[in-house]
Amino acid sequence: MDNMRSPKVSVIMYHNFVTEADVKSGVEFDEYSVNPQDFEQDLIWLRDNGYTTITSDDLLRHLEGKKSLPHKAVIISIDDGSWGVYTNAYPLLKKYNIINNLYIFNEMLANLYLFSYTLLVHRRVVTYLERK
């Protein structure tokens, strides 16, 4: 049971990622928003201080005795899956090779379907135009 008590896992929760340009175009920067530059500084600090990102599934598997965790484990949790997550946070998560939990509520799934369809159509149009 000793290894079940350690390592400790930190959880950092984010909601939305809004740039100054987003605000100028009418996106609300509310109390749950963070500027992507600040988010990037958080990611750099975690990296430079030896933290390793894990998922909640990794934690669950650890609690079940099926997986060990790194000494400085951290879960990056992002709620709702808003547009700013894709446009502002995802590129930073990819840049720093950060894994995270993304929790999407039902209404967002409908928007995600529409968003995915729009991207698919856009890719096909761009591919078609590139071939001409």
Side-chain angles (χ1 to χ4, degrees):
M1 278 296 169
D2 284 335
N3 81 351
M4 297 307 256
R5 288 189 294 210
S6 67
K8 294 181 181 178
V9 176
S10 299
V11 178
I12 305 172
M13 189 176 110
Y14 295 93
H15 182 73
N16 197 11
F17 305 85
V18 180
T19 65
E20 291 178 21
D22 293 334
V23 172
K24 288 179 184 174
S25 69
V27 176
E28 181 183 2
F29 190 99
D30 62 19
E31 67 266 19
Y32 303 111
S33 299
V34 65
N35 186 299
Q37 292 171 335
D38 295 332
F39 179 58
E40 183 170 24
Q41 291 305 307
D42 291 349
L43 299 179
I44 291 168
W45 187 92
L46 290 168
R47 180 200 63 199
D48 291 351
N49 286 279
Y51 284 85
T52 302
T53 54
I54 64 168
T55 65
S56 56
D57 185 60
D58 294 330
L59 178 57
L60 179 61
R61 290 178 57 214
H62 172 72
L63 294 173
E64 294 172 340
K66 298 177 182 176
K67 182 173 184 156
S68 61
L69 295 179
H71 176 63
K72 288 184 167 183
V74 62
I75 294 174
I76 304 291
S77 177
I78 300 174
D79 284 354
D80 299 343
S82 63
W83 181 256
V85 173
Y86 180 76
T87 59
N88 298 322
Y90 176 71
L92 296 172
L93 293 165
K94 188 175 177 182
K95 177 180 178 179
Y96 293 100
N97 197 28
I98 300 291
I99 59 173
N100 67 286
N101 287 338
L102 177 60
Y103 295 99
I104 302 173
F105 62 93
N106 291 341
E107 182 180 322
M108 293 303 287
L109 288 176
N111 292 339
L112 183 60
Y113 174 79
L114 178 61
F115 172 69
S116 298
Y117 179 77
T118 304
L119 278 181
L120 177 64
V121 169
H122 175 74
R123 283 188 197 138
R124 287 185 178 165
V125 169
V126 168
T127 302
Y128 174 78
L129 293 174
E130 287 174 347
R131 290 182 183 166
K132 286 184 121 191

